[in-house]
Amino acid sequence: MRTRLITALVAGLPLAASAQSQFNLTQGVTDISNRVYDLHMTIFYICCIIGVIVFGAMFWSMFRHRKSKGRKPATFHENVKVEIAWTIVPFLILVGMAIPATSTLIAMEDVSESEVTVLVTGSQWKWHYRYFDHEVEYFSLLATPRDQITNRLDKGENYLLEVDRPLVIPTGKKVRFLITSDDVIHSWWVPAFAVKKDANPGFINEAWTRVDEPGIYRGQCAELCGKDHGYMPVVVIAKEPAEYEAWITEQETIQREAKEEEQRLLSMSMSMEELMELGERVYLGSCAACHQPNGQGIPGVFPSLVGTEMVKNDIPGHIDIVVNGKNGTAMQAFANQLSLREIAAVVTYERNAWGNDTGDIVQAADVNEYVNQ
Amino acid sequence: MSTVVGEMDHHDHHHHAPSGITRWLFTTNHKDIGSLYLWFSFIMFLVGGSMAMVIRAELFQPGLQLVEPHFFNQMTTVHGLIMVFGAVMPAFTGLANWMVPLMIGAPDMALPRMNNWSFWILPFAFAILLASLFMEGGGPAFGWTFYAPLSTTYSGDSTALFVFSVHIMGISSIMGAINVIVTIMNMRAPGMTYMKMPLFVWTWFITAFLLIAVMPVLAGAVTMVLTDKYFGTSFFDAAGGGDPVMFQHIFWFFGHPEVYIMILPSFGIVSAIIPAFSRKPLFGYASMVYATAAIAGLSFLVWAHHMFTTGMPVFAELFFMYCTMLISVPTGVKVFNWVATMWRGSISFETPMLFALAFVILFTIGGFSGLMLAITPVDFQYHDTYFVVAHFHYVLVSGAIFSIMAAAYYWLPKWTGHMYDENLGRWHFWCSLISVNVLFFPMHFVGLAGMPRRIPDYALQFADINQIVSIGGFAFGLSQLIFLWLVIKCVRGGEKAPAKPWEGAEGLEWTVDSPAPYHTFETPPQVK
Amino acid sequence: MTDTNSNPAPQRPDNGRVVRRLLLTVVCMFAFGYALVPLYEVFCDITGFNGRTKNEQAAANTRAVDTSRTVNVQFITRTNSGMPWGFAPEVKSVRVHPGETKVVNFLANNPTGGNMVAQAIPSVAPGEAALYLNKTECFCFNQQPLKAGAKTAMPMQFYLDPDIPEHIHTLTLSYTLYDMTANATPDVLAQMQPAN
């Protein structure tokens, strides 16, 4: 890697840019992304040519027309013909650039019928995917362990570019993304598709892609969205249509069964140990980014959960804020993100961890009762 | 600074100003105020620079080592605000204060008391901004562009201080701009017609109009943020019928002209220095003036090129793409004119010229990446990546700041009465030139390869380049200390500077002694 | 601050005039910053720039139904965080001919123990299509009260303008439901009064 880097630096930008490498735009796997790449290279080369001419003239005079060589300065200070020429010629070059740019842009915004629609929702700091034609929806969270980020473990190959549940789309079909946000502005970006679209709260945006190559494609949130903006990757798996159909049918079944299972398990009580263990896992996955692993939060930004009135004395209030979130803050509604058991476990955990020790036990049935009171 | 004063006093026979701190607090002298602005901006440059060092240190390796993401975001935000409003803009105002009256043969700025005010509110603005970093919950962490709703509903309590300090900076800039306009309109020496003014005066004249036009819009935008956050309005909140994207429209309606506010005076500086050291008159003076005006005019029609990914209809994307591309025509004219000025000149390479030449080349590289960014379909890939970071640092650091350095070297003999240490100047130049490219050029690569901006941690494939970039960053930061040393040395003594230290320099400022006496042109010169 | 008499230098007397004009410009530009808000709304209404539908009752369609083509109208519902209501369309999508009037019900329930008021905010993709979506009746025009534990079906009646461009085959209408209990208008609160 290091030798490649040095080679590229020595050889200068043109070589680095022409190689398919970590130094240039990805060509991607869609027709659009290839067109974008070609456009990028075209304009880059035009800039290089202009650069060579302009800087060439400049260096020429720097070497030839210097005082130390005894040059006597000329006195000319205008030339209408030349000035008109270097106004018109750049303009024509621009027109030449604008033509392919316009046609690529129009091709990108092709609104013709698409076969799969996915609703993509950003929130601090995760993505949520909902398939429009199927009863399948899920959150997609960063899967890189905290210990890798804090340098206690060696970093994996896809450090910060891996999620627990990637988005799955079929190859060879036009997929339409409807993009929106639950809180601040995010931006959903997959470089290999040349798709980057802002997720604006309260508004929906559209983007399209048609992926030809099966594979795993990685991207990131591209709009500053608060503290963990750097930790909300996008991972998309493109599967052959048949595989995709099988996957989505399976997911539909799994998600339906999970809901039924949850209702069935409502009558079952979990022990304190089970709740604490599950609760800790959920807490570290969904809550610790803001409230911190030690529950102390960040003063003035994210509230502490240690010894507060709510945690000590207010079980319904505690369930309410986890289930419904708090409007106008980063505290999200976890009703759709966590199962009833998980909510019960995390509430129990928060009420008993870090020396809170209230001894309160909250069961899934309690949460269910609260939600459907 | 007081040493400068001592030196000035020494040469000034009509001076009755009080000495000590009150002299600086109550001064209405354009030269004093210019010096205050310049020193202030240099201090801010170092403060904002140290924040950049924090950012680069954290990004030296993947993983979190030094700071938390929340603090990292505060650093990027305050670094941006300080560099834009605290370093570049006050430096230009300082240069305008010092040089515009000298260049047009005026005894002082037209509104000297307002001049004093416009400077002295600035330290308070930045004291407030910097103090907010020490609040519980920290300072502003939403980027210098403060996009709603991150800066409204989801921001910390320091937002009120941020808004207040931006208001003060805005008022200061507006007062400065009014002063420049009135001075240029009313105080030119007899015979100094508009089309005889030096280009630095012209570019500042146009810049001042841009400031008057857009700083109030920024004031409106921050006020809306304030009322959305604390007083229940819904300008940017969909729930109340607002639109967060509208914030970006209002912000960039200010923001794009703001970009030209930070580069037009540079054009003026370079247009003074290149002819001086080429010993040949500026090529195409009139077309330079028209090109500047064209850039300023077009700057109001391109704001949404910062927002291509927000989901605009195609017709709007095309409109903003075409307008943005058009800007490269007048900008190109300027670059061609500078090259033509050098062509068949008799060039020498003193430090001001070195910085001016580096400006032309590196600014043009920034212009090329700007042209690439203008192309909407590819902008979808570049947007909010390090490619953008590389682009705007090329135009602002190796553009605006290099031109300010060039101006400082060019006029230091006039300000201090001493020649600066040419050797040290060359050291400063070469260290800065190399490190600035090590710092910003590889950013193009990580950006293209897909690294988003404003992240405290990154994927492994970006690690090597980030390391190089950080090394360049530290080197660039340290190189600026050479400049500090050089200026202090030059203020304290050195070879006596003649009234016109540069063989090919033109303009009224070289007709007065070096250092410039405390009062100049009390009898207006006659310009032929 | 415009006092220039103290300036020892000889100067022309019209500084005050220039300053006044410039200050007036500053004030006007500040006002213009605020004027951008309604200007933006007007611009969006004309061009469909941000995909917001006209939030007022449209006149009933008087034009012929264009049976030669159909447009797929999809419905998406979302609730803002902190909003505990259930909220869903009765059907996920309908196919309509331009000009044809349809009614779609949206189901909402308030699972909490308190009376609440909600407001639905529409957004349409593609934004351009918002210009051609005419609602003759909609729950989104007003705040919607719902008593504790109650359920309701909220109707939306709409038609697509027959002028809708040929290239629009699919139109997505999204509603985000916001909790407006704290900002409810008195007449909406009055509707829930008998229950208390």
Side-chain angles (χ1 to χ4, degrees):
Chain A
M1 206 186 229
R2 224 161 272 246
T3 25
R4 267 169 67 199
L5 180 65
I6 291 161
T7 327
L9 285 179
V10 170
L13 184 60
L15 183 76
S18 60
Q20 255 309 305
S21 70
Q22 67 190 96
F23 302 106
N24 198 2
L25 207 60
T26 173
Q27 262 184 313
V29 289
T30 66
D31 175 47
I32 290 291
S33 73
N34 276 291
R35 289 179 69 168
V36 165
Y37 176 83
D38 292 341
L39 191 57
H40 156 74
M41 291 315 290
T42 310
I43 291 170
F44 172 71
Y45 286 131
I46 294 175
C47 288
C48 285
I49 294 166
I50 300 173
V52 166
I53 296 169
V54 174
F55 299 149
M58 215 176 140
F59 279 105
W60 180 266
S61 26
M62 272 154 66
F63 287 116
R64 297 296 296 271
H65 308 145
R66 49 206 300 174
K67 193 187 176 219
S68 54
K69 290 193 169 178
R71 291 287 302 215
K72 290 279 167 293
T75 52
F76 66 89
H77 58 85
E78 57 185 2
N79 183 333
V80 178
K81 277 183 199 152
V82 172
E83 290 178 66
I84 289 176
W86 68 39
T87 311
I88 306 266
V89 172
F91 183 79
L92 295 178
I93 297 174
L94 290 180
V95 172
M97 289 179 177
I99 292 167
T102 306
S103 72
T104 307
L105 185 63
I106 288 171
M108 279 182 146
E109 304 281 335
D110 166 26
V111 295
S112 67
E113 203 81 63
S114 40
E115 294 165 81
V116 176
T117 299
V118 184
L119 179 66
V120 178
T121 310
S123 61
Q124 288 180 324
W125 292 277
K126 51 181 87 88
W127 295 101
H128 175 260
Y129 301 115
R130 187 157 114 197
Y131 290 82
F132 189 81
D133 297 313
H134 298 273
E135 290 297 324
V136 175
E137 58 173 310
Y138 52 88
F139 282 87
S140 177
L141 280 81
L142 177 74
T144 302
R146 185 83 205 151
D147 283 345
Q148 287 190 13
I149 295 170
T150 51
N151 308 309
R152 280 193 286 268
L153 278 180
D154 283 347
K155 295 176 175 41
E157 188 193 352
N158 293 312
Y159 177 69
L160 297 189
L161 296 177
E162 51 201 345
V163 296
D164 56 352
R165 307 191 64 186
L167 175 67
V168 178
I169 58 170
T171 54
K173 291 190 173 177
K174 187 169 178 189
V175 181
R176 172 165 172 254
F177 303 106
L178 293 169
I179 300 167
T180 185
S181 165
D182 271 339
D183 38 45
V184 300
I185 298 173
H186 303 269
S187 191
W188 195 79
W189 180 30
V190 182
F193 305 164
V195 169
K196 183 186 285 153
K197 206 59 137 182
D198 287 1
N200 298 319
F203 293 83
I204 50 175
N205 260 333
E206 278 183 307
W208 299 265
T209 195
R210 186 197 298 271
V211 182
D212 298 322
E213 295 278 312
I216 301 176
Y217 304 105
R218 298 170 198 276
Q220 279 174 277
C221 174
E223 180 64 64
L224 178 63
C225 55
K227 183 171 90 62
D228 281 352
H229 162 55
Y231 301 99
M232 54 182 292
V234 175
V235 181
V236 182
I237 299 181
K239 293 187 175 187
E240 298 284 357
E243 263 184 85
Y244 165 78
E245 287 302 332
W247 177 85
I248 195 110
T249 318
E250 185 195 349
Q251 288 302 312
E252 246 177 338
T253 318
I254 291 173
Q255 295 208 351
R256 196 181 54 243
E257 284 174 358
K259 273 183 201 152
E260 290 164 7
E261 177 78 357
E262 180 158 61
Q263 288 301 319
R264 202 172 58 76
L265 286 178
L266 276 182
S267 54
M268 285 173 58
S269 285
M270 291 168 77
S271 73
M272 184 70 160
E273 286 69 36
E274 287 173 312
L275 285 166
M276 286 299 279
E277 193 203 319
L278 176 63
E280 182 170 16
R281 215 163 54 229
V282 173
Y283 182 83
L284 292 177
S286 299
C287 316
C290 298
H291 295 292
Q292 304 298 307
N294 61 7
Q296 302 276 0
I298 298 178
V301 189
F302 304 117
S304 165
L305 299 174
V306 180
T308 62
E309 174 62 22
M310 181 195 79
V311 171
K312 286 283 191 198
N313 301 319
D314 184 7
I315 296 182
H318 196 165
I319 298 177
D320 175 70
I321 199 163
V322 176
V323 168
N324 294 321
K326 190 168 176 201
N327 190 18
T329 68
M331 183 63 198
Q332 306 168 352
F334 284 93
N336 299 324
Q337 307 189 27
L338 302 174
S339 68
L340 296 173
R341 278 175 69 211
E342 288 172 323
I343 292 173
V346 81
V347 170
T348 306
Y349 175 76
E350 286 170 1
R351 301 185 79 78
N352 293 288
W354 321 300
N356 282 339
D357 298 333
T358 56
D360 297 336
I361 292 184
V362 178
Q363 296 288 357
D366 302 329
V367 180
N368 188 49
E369 191 184 333
Y370 181 82
V371 172
N372 298 309
Q373 62 184 278
Chain B
M1 197 58 225
S2 57
T3 333
V4 192
V5 179
E7 293 294 329
M8 282 173 183
D9 291 351
H10 180 70
H11 293 279
D12 174 20
H13 306 289
H14 317 282
H15 174 223
H16 310 290
S19 54
I21 184 77
T22 48
R23 165 184 167 174
W24 296 103
L25 277 176
F26 302 126
T27 183
T28 54
N29 181 290
H30 74 101
K31 299 180 185 87
D32 283 358
I33 293 173
S35 301
L36 285 172
Y37 264 113
L38 288 170
W39 276 109
F40 177 78
S41 80
F42 190 70
I43 292 166
M44 283 297 126
F45 179 57
L46 294 181
V47 172
S50 356
M51 293 175 183
M53 296 300 108
V54 173
I55 294 168
R56 281 324 314 174
E58 177 55 51
L59 291 174
F60 190 70
Q61 287 181 325
L64 291 178
Q65 287 87 23
L66 302 170
V67 295
E68 284 300 307
H70 184 62
F71 187 73
F72 183 90
N73 287 345
Q74 293 171 45
M75 286 292 102
T76 54
T77 304
V78 181
H79 163 75
L81 289 167
I82 289 209
M83 287 306 197
V84 169
F85 295 105
V88 176
M89 290 169 69
F92 282 138
T93 316
L95 290 173
N97 261 292
W98 249 105
M99 302 318 298
V100 166
L102 286 180
M103 285 176 156
I104 62 173
D108 203 313
M109 296 293 277
L111 311 161
R113 291 187 189 179
M114 188 169 90
N115 209 7
N116 174 292
W117 268 95
S118 70
F119 172 75
W120 274 112
I121 59 177
L122 263 190
F124 293 94
F126 286 93
I128 290 169
L129 182 65
L130 289 170
S132 74
L133 285 173
F134 299 96
M135 282 177 70
E136 195 181 64
F142 31 67
W144 85 276
T145 52
F146 59 104
Y147 279 10
L150 190 60
S151 61
T152 56
T153 317
Y154 297 88
S155 66
D157 283 332
S158 59
T159 308
L161 293 183
F162 157 80
V163 169
F164 189 44
S165 89
V166 170
H167 269 309
I168 302 176
M169 296 169 200
I171 291 169
S172 164
S173 292
I174 289 170
M175 292 202 293
I178 289 179
N179 216 338
V180 168
I181 293 175
V182 180
T183 307
I184 295 174
M185 285 178 75
N186 287 351
M187 298 189 61
R188 279 168 290 126
M192 175 65 81
T193 60
Y194 279 110
M195 288 313 272
K196 277 188 188 161
M197 296 194 306
L199 261 173
F200 179 72
V201 179
W202 252 118
T203 50
W204 237 111
F205 193 47
I206 293 168
T207 302
F209 278 106
L210 284 182
L211 279 166
I212 298 242
V214 299
M215 291 310 281
V217 176
L218 173 70
V222 289
T223 310
M224 288 180 212
V225 163
L226 187 80
T227 56
D228 260 20
K229 182 164 174 62
Y230 295 103
F231 300 101
T233 57
S234 308
F235 290 107
F236 312 127
D237 182 4
D243 183 346
V245 174
M246 187 179 68
F247 171 83
Q248 297 177 34
H249 283 291
I250 298 175
F251 178 82
W252 287 114
F253 184 83
F254 146 79
H256 204 80
E258 168 69 21
V259 171
Y260 294 118
I261 286 166
M262 293 190 285
I263 202 69
L264 294 185
S266 303
F267 293 164
I269 292 165
V270 171
S271 303
I273 292 175
I274 288 188
F277 294 93
S278 302
R279 293 165 183 79
K280 191 162 154 280
L282 181 70
F283 187 89
Y285 172 89
S287 67
M288 285 293 215
V289 173
Y290 301 139
T292 310
I295 293 172
L298 279 173
S299 74
F300 288 100
L301 297 174
V302 299
W303 76 88
H305 68 214
H306 298 267
M307 306 166 49
F308 284 143
T309 61
T310 55
M312 278 185 282
V314 178
F315 76 87
E317 290 176 332
L318 288 175
F319 173 80
F320 287 108
M321 172 170 80
Y322 296 151
C323 285
T324 308
M325 292 171 82
L326 266 188
I327 286 198
S328 55
V329 173
T331 316
V333 165
K334 283 183 166 289
V335 174
F336 300 143
N337 281 348
W338 290 322
V339 176
T341 305
M342 291 165 62
W343 192 256
R344 291 176 54 209
S346 172
I347 304 173
S348 59
F349 297 93
E350 287 85 349
T351 314
M353 183 62 164
L354 290 175
F355 272 103
L357 293 175
F359 168 92
V360 175
I361 293 173
L362 300 180
F363 171 78
T364 306
I365 292 178
F368 286 145
S369 55
L371 180 59
M372 294 169 80
L373 282 159
I375 312 292
T376 314
V378 272
D379 178 74
F380 290 141
Q381 291 282 48
Y382 305 145
H383 178 76
D384 263 340
T385 67
Y386 261 80
F387 190 79
V388 178
V389 180
H391 159 71
F392 68 72
H393 280 98
Y394 259 86
V395 288
L396 282 178
V397 180
S398 55
I401 290 185
F402 268 32
S403 78
I404 293 166
M405 295 293 177
Y409 283 108
Y410 187 55
W411 285 309
L412 258 180
K414 184 56 59 191
W415 299 336
T416 64
H418 304 126
M419 294 308 286
Y420 60 86
D421 183 337
E422 185 67 42
N423 250 328
L424 215 48
R426 281 165 200 265
W427 269 101
H428 174 224
F429 170 74
W430 287 107
C431 289
S432 298
L433 179 74
I434 294 167
S435 57
V436 88
N437 283 294
V438 176
L439 167 57
F440 295 122
F441 204 76
M443 282 186 184
H444 290 112
F445 299 137
V446 267
L448 291 175
M451 178 167 161
R453 62 192 282 212
R454 292 167 166 167
I455 55 172
D457 193 359
Y458 46 81
L460 299 182
Q461 69 262 35
F462 308 130
D464 291 343
I465 297 184
N466 268 291
Q467 214 157 60
I468 293 173
V469 166
S470 286
I471 291 168
F474 302 140
F476 184 73
L478 289 175
S479 307
Q480 303 323 305
L481 299 179
I482 306 177
F483 180 66
L484 177 64
W485 182 26
L486 177 143
V487 173
I488 292 173
K489 213 173 138 189
C490 180
V491 166
R492 300 180 118 195
E495 188 194 331
K496 173 87 184 72
K500 185 175 139 181
W502 313 118
E503 186 192 350
E506 299 269 353
L508 287 176
E509 76 262 36
W510 308 111
T511 63
V512 301
D513 283 343
S514 295
Y518 200 60
H519 298 295
T520 40
F521 296 130
E522 284 171 301
T523 324
Q526 194 70 40
V527 180
K528 283 189 282 299
Chain C
M1 63 183 178
T2 56
D3 173 16
T4 52
N5 295 334
S6 62
N7 194 326
Q11 56 176 267
R12 293 171 215 172
D14 54 358
N15 281 358
R17 202 178 60 139
V18 181
V19 172
R20 274 194 299 279
R21 287 187 176 181
L22 291 174
L23 284 176
L24 184 70
T25 315
V26 169
V27 172
C28 288
M29 285 311 291
F30 186 76
F32 176 72
Y34 273 85
L36 282 173
V37 178
L39 284 174
Y40 179 73
E41 271 160 29
V42 169
F43 184 69
C44 290
D45 282 349
I46 296 170
T47 62
F49 202 76
N50 64 353
R52 172 86 25 114
T53 59
K54 292 182 281 282
N55 224 16
E56 58 193 44
Q57 193 166 6
N61 185 31
T62 51
R63 301 195 22 205
V65 175
D66 178 1
T67 51
S68 66
R69 62 195 180 112
T70 53
V71 176
N72 185 17
V73 182
Q74 302 174 325
F75 304 102
I76 286 178
T77 54
R78 303 173 56 250
T79 50
N80 191 41
S81 73
M83 180 60 177
W85 289 21
F87 180 45
E90 217 169 39
V91 289
K92 275 187 171 177
S93 63
V94 293
R95 298 191 77 85
V96 296
H97 298 301
E100 179 188 3
T101 303
K102 281 264 178 184
V103 180
V104 172
N105 280 320
F106 286 73
L107 309 175
N109 68 300
N110 173 3
T112 68
N115 296 343
M116 290 182 72
V117 177
Q119 170 77 55
I121 301 289
S123 175
V124 170
E128 183 193 5
L131 297 179
Y132 304 97
L133 179 68
N134 292 314
K135 296 179 219 168
T136 44
E137 192 190 324
C138 184
F139 58 93
C140 59
F141 296 157
N142 301 306
Q143 294 183 339
Q144 297 295 321
L146 205 53
K147 283 180 247 170
K151 285 186 169 110
T152 181
M154 305 184 292
M156 184 205 49
Q157 188 180 53
F158 73 98
Y159 67 92
L160 297 178
D161 192 311
D163 292 333
I164 188 164
E166 293 280 345
H167 63 257
I168 298 179
H169 304 283
T170 306
L171 179 165
T172 307
L173 174 59
S174 130
Y175 278 112
T176 309
L177 204 63
Y178 290 89
D179 180 2
M180 282 286 158
T181 312
N183 310 58
T185 51
D187 57 314
V188 175
L189 287 175
Q191 292 176 38
M192 290 190 295
Q193 223 46 46
N196 295 351

